[in-house]
Amino acid sequence: MPARDRLVPPFQGGRLWGWLGPIVVALFGAILRFDHLARPKAVAFDETYYAKDGLSLLKYGVERTFLGSEGDPIADRRLVAGRNDLWVTCTPDNLDPCALYVAH
């Protein structure tokens, strides 16, 4: 028996279902994921930190503290609305409130 036949067994149910099954599952997952992607209703957990921190890195070169708190996510609402004024404003003589010192 050739090594290829031992290492790569035939698909269960034939080659058609071996390709068609995963493609159908991937398309179903894509529809669920991409439907209404451009119109978010809320900011999900990973987006609440990573999107704002990434935007801060692009805009300022460092991570900055964003507006609001867990109970009142001002920055999340502004981000969903398409605004990018998400961060605490500081003066040059008092930069302490703007810096993000703790990793999430």
Side-chain angles (χ1 to χ4, degrees):
M1 174 181 267
R4 183 181 182 344
D5 292 339
R6 287 187 312 235
L7 297 174
V8 185
F11 289 120
Q12 297 284 331
R15 276 198 168 168
L16 176 66
W17 283 111
W19 282 101
L20 194 57
I23 290 172
V24 168
V25 169
L27 287 174
F28 180 66
I31 290 169
L32 291 177
R33 177 67 183 122
F34 298 131
D35 185 38
H36 300 296
L37 190 61
R39 295 179 305 274
K41 294 180 184 167
V43 178
F45 170 77
D46 59 343
E47 295 163 343
T48 196
Y49 297 111
Y50 305 142
K52 291 181 281 193
D53 286 345
L55 189 58
S56 173
L57 284 170
L58 288 173
K59 190 169 182 176
Y60 300 106
V62 295
E63 293 178 349
R64 290 187 55 189
T65 303
F66 40 87
L67 296 170
S69 63
E70 194 172 319
D72 184 23
I74 298 168
D76 289 352
R77 289 192 299 271
R78 289 183 179 185
L79 187 64
V80 170
R83 295 172 57 184
N84 62 2
D85 53 339
L86 313 173
W87 297 278
V88 175
T89 304
C90 295
T91 59
D93 58 335
N94 184 17
L95 296 174
D96 209 34
C98 289
L100 185 62
Y101 295 116
V102 180
H104 304 287

